[in-house]
């Protein structure tokens, strides 16, 4: 007889007409007659379950709902259900070997031989997002690799975070790691989910101070047109307008310290740090010009005699005296284009030009004193006197004397 085969069983032999002891070889002689009965005897094959976990828990149950552990026997044709659960922070995949076949991530099989469940795990992957303005954010993993926004991070990774604000800005930030948010964190000890870093920047603020004296004032306005008071707050990169005024007759010099730099007499700056404006007033200076023709001009200031070209100051009181030189009489005294009385005081408000002109005695407008010298008592009849060097020069129409 040919020996049969049966899935899941081992053929033990034939029983029946050949006896009760299973025999794997039964020969029926040629020419034999009569009924014969043979029964095939089988023994079920024993299969086993093998489970290899990796950061996971694997539960296998048979068709009766009984949990089958690693190394325990399983029966051919039985239905096994497979549940693989990763521990926190891992993703898992598995391969189920069943006799001569294998299946990825199978959750139910019918036993066809020895069964193996092999689990592979990898840390979960998440996304790193960085949102920043006016600041530089540097993120490194535990290997020292710099990670840009959009990079992949993994569960259990350790991250270091460095935030550097741009010049003129202050920065604050939040770090969201999975469901947890921390302010201004410089590290993530263990990644547990998507990591989001949000940086908020604000302009740095500084103090504005200024100093003036009794003859000066300063007004400072910011870019919004608002006046900034002494010890007031100003912002980086704001534009300040500086208006300096002095009392009448005073000149001004001022120094503006802006952060680490200093400039003089500017009317506008862009803030780069703390700002200090120091204003000093000085009396305005002017020039004294004296022009004289046949005259002596004396100019005195508080007892000091001044000369042509000297420097004079606003509000100086100048006593101006002019006389004609010998044989000359003062004809006119002009100060800054206006007639001036000799001996009076002139108050300085600008450059001063003095012009004194004298003529020979008897020329020009006749003065009473000169007519007295000539012995003329009836002065109403005399308007001018003309002198000639020679009698021959005198017109015939004019009566003359040799005296």
């Amino acid at each position: 007889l040919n020996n049969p085969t049966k899935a899941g069983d081992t053929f033990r032999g034939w029983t029946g007409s050949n006896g009760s002891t299973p025999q794997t070889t039964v020969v029926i002689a040629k020419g034999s007659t009569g009924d014969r009965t043979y029964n095939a005897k089988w023994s079920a094959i024993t299969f086993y379950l093998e489970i290899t976990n990796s950061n996971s828990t694997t539960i296998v149950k048979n068709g009766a709902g009984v949990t089958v552990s690693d190394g325990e026997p399983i029966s051919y044709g039985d239905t096994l259900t497979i549940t693989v659960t990763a521990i926190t922070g891992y993703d898992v995949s598995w391969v189920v070997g069943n006799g001569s076949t294998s299946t990825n991530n199978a959750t139910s099989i019918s036993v066809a031989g020895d069964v193996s469940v092999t689990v592979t795990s990898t840390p979960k992957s998440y996304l790193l997002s960085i949102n920043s303005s006016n600041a530089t954010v540097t993120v490194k993993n535990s290997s020292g690799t710099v990670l840009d926004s959009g990079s992949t991070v993994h569960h259990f990774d350790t991250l270091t975070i460095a935030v550097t604000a741009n010049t003129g800005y202050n920065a604050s930030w939040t770090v969201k790691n999975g469901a947890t948010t921390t302010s201004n964190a410089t590290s993530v000890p263990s990644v547990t989910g998507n990591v989001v870093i949000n940086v908020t920047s604000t302009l740095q603020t500084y103090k504005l101070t200024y100093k003036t004296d009794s003859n000066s004032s300063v007004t400072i306005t910011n870019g919004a047109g608002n006046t900034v008071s002494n010890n007031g707050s100003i912002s980086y990169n704001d534009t300040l307008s500086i208006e300096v005024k002095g009392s009448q007759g005073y000149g001004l010099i001022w120094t503006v310290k802006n952060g680490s730099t200093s400039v003089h007499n500017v009317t506008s700056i862009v803030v780069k740090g703390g700002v200090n404006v120091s204003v000093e007033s000085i009396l305005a200076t002017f020039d004294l010009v004296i022009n004289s023709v046949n005259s002596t001009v004396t100019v005195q200031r508080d007892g000091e005699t001044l000369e042509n070209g000297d420097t004079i100051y606003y509000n100086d009181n100048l006593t101006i005296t002019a006389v004609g030189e010998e044989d000359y009489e003062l004809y006119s005294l002009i100060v800054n284009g206006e007639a001036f009385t000799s001996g009076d005081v002139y108050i300085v408000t600008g450059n001063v030009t003095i012009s004194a002109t004298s003529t020979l005695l008897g020329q020009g407008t006749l003065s009473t004193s000169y007519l007295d010298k000539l012995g003329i008592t009836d002065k109403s009849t005399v308007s001018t006197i003309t002198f000639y060097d020679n009698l021959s020069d005198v017109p015939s129409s004019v009566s003359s004397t040799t005296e």
Side-chain angles (χ1 to χ4, degrees):
L1 294 177
N2 295 324
N3 291 336
T5 60
K6 181 180 179 182
D9 288 316
T10 298
F11 178 65
R12 292 171 53 206
W14 299 100
T15 62
S17 297
N18 60 323
S20 59
T21 300
Q23 296 176 339
T24 57
T25 301
V26 174
V27 178
I28 299 175
K30 185 177 181 179
S32 297
T33 60
D35 293 335
R36 287 175 172 75
T37 302
Y38 298 95
N39 296 309
K41 296 298 180 179
W42 304 90
S43 294
I45 300 174
T46 300
F47 299 109
Y48 293 91
L49 173 66
E50 179 183 0
I51 299 173
T52 303
N53 274 310
S54 173
N55 299 304
S56 59
T57 300
T58 301
I59 297 175
V60 179
K61 292 184 179 182
N62 61 21
V66 177
T67 298
V68 183
S69 300
D70 178 53
E72 291 187 338
I74 51 178
S75 299
Y76 179 85
D78 198 2
T79 298
L80 302 182
T81 59
I82 303 166
T83 303
V84 179
T85 303
I87 66 174
T88 301
Y90 286 93
D91 289 318
V92 293
S93 61
W94 60 95
V95 177
V96 178
N98 183 14
S100 60
T101 64
S102 61
T103 307
N104 293 328
N105 302 326
T107 57
S108 178
I109 62 169
S110 177
V111 175
D114 290 328
V115 174
S116 62
V117 181
T118 304
V119 182
T120 301
S121 64
T122 56
K124 282 183 174 293
S125 297
Y126 306 107
L127 182 67
L128 170 65
S129 299
I130 302 173
N131 305 305
S132 174
S133 63
N134 299 306
T136 300
V137 181
T138 303
V139 179
K140 295 181 180 180
N141 61 20
S142 55
S143 300
T145 302
V146 176
L147 305 177
D148 297 325
S149 184
S151 296
T152 298
V153 293
H154 299 95
H155 206 96
F156 309 114
D157 274 354
T158 297
L159 306 180
T160 59
I161 303 168
V163 178
T164 304
N166 293 352
T167 301
Y169 288 86
N170 293 315
S172 60
W173 63 96
T174 58
V175 179
K176 185 177 182 182
N177 177 25
T180 303
T181 301
T182 308
S183 296
N184 301 329
T186 57
S187 68
V188 175
S190 180
V191 171
T192 59
N194 291 327
V195 176
V196 181
I197 302 173
N198 290 317
V199 180
T200 302
S201 61
T202 56
L203 283 168
Q204 285 188 358
T205 57
Y206 307 98
K207 182 182 289 187
L208 166 69
T209 58
Y210 54 80
K211 179 182 178 182
T212 60
D213 57 25
S214 59
N215 291 299
S216 62
S217 65
V218 62
T219 301
I220 299 176
T221 54
N222 59 23
N226 299 318
T227 300
V228 185
S229 60
N230 195 16
N231 292 310
S233 179
I234 52 178
S235 298
Y236 180 81
N237 260 0
D238 197 4
T239 298
L240 300 185
S241 297
I242 303 169
E243 182 181 14
V244 179
K245 294 181 178 180
S247 301
Q248 186 176 10
Y250 284 84
L252 297 170
I253 57 174
W254 62 96
T255 301
V256 180
K257 185 176 182 182
N258 181 15
S260 60
T261 63
S262 293
V263 290
H264 300 285
N265 296 358
V266 296
T267 57
S268 178
I269 62 169
V270 177
V271 174
K272 298 302 180 184
V275 173
N276 173 262
V277 181
S278 180
V279 183
E280 179 183 359
S281 63
I282 56 175
L283 274 171
T285 60
F286 305 103
D287 295 327
L288 174 63
V289 178
I290 302 174
N291 300 313
S292 63
V293 178
N294 300 318
S295 307
T296 299
V297 178
T298 302
V299 180
Q300 287 196 315
R301 175 183 60 196
D302 298 328
E304 175 190 5
T305 299
L306 303 178
E307 303 293 339
N308 180 42
D310 281 352
T311 297
I312 53 178
Y313 299 90
Y314 183 84
N315 264 354
D316 272 354
N317 290 334
L318 305 182
T319 301
I320 304 172
T321 303
V323 295
E325 295 177 352
E326 185 178 358
D327 295 330
Y328 285 84
E329 183 176 33
L330 182 66
Y331 175 72
S332 65
L333 176 60
I334 305 298
V335 178
N336 284 352
E338 300 288 338
F340 190 81
T341 301
S342 177
D344 281 356
V345 174
Y346 185 86
I347 299 175
V348 175
T349 59
N351 293 325
V352 174
T353 300
I354 302 171
S355 298
T357 302
S358 296
T359 59
L360 284 168
L361 291 171
Q363 289 188 352
T365 302
L366 297 176
S367 66
T368 299
S369 60
Y370 183 65
L371 293 175
D372 286 340
K373 290 180 181 180
L374 295 178
I376 299 173
T377 57
D378 187 2
K379 301 177 179 61
S380 62
T381 62
V382 180
S383 60
T384 61
I385 296 177
T386 303
F387 291 86
Y388 298 94
D389 292 332
N390 301 295
L391 286 175
S392 60
D393 296 330
V394 179
S396 59
S397 60
V398 177
S399 60
S400 60
T401 176
T402 58
E403 296 185 17

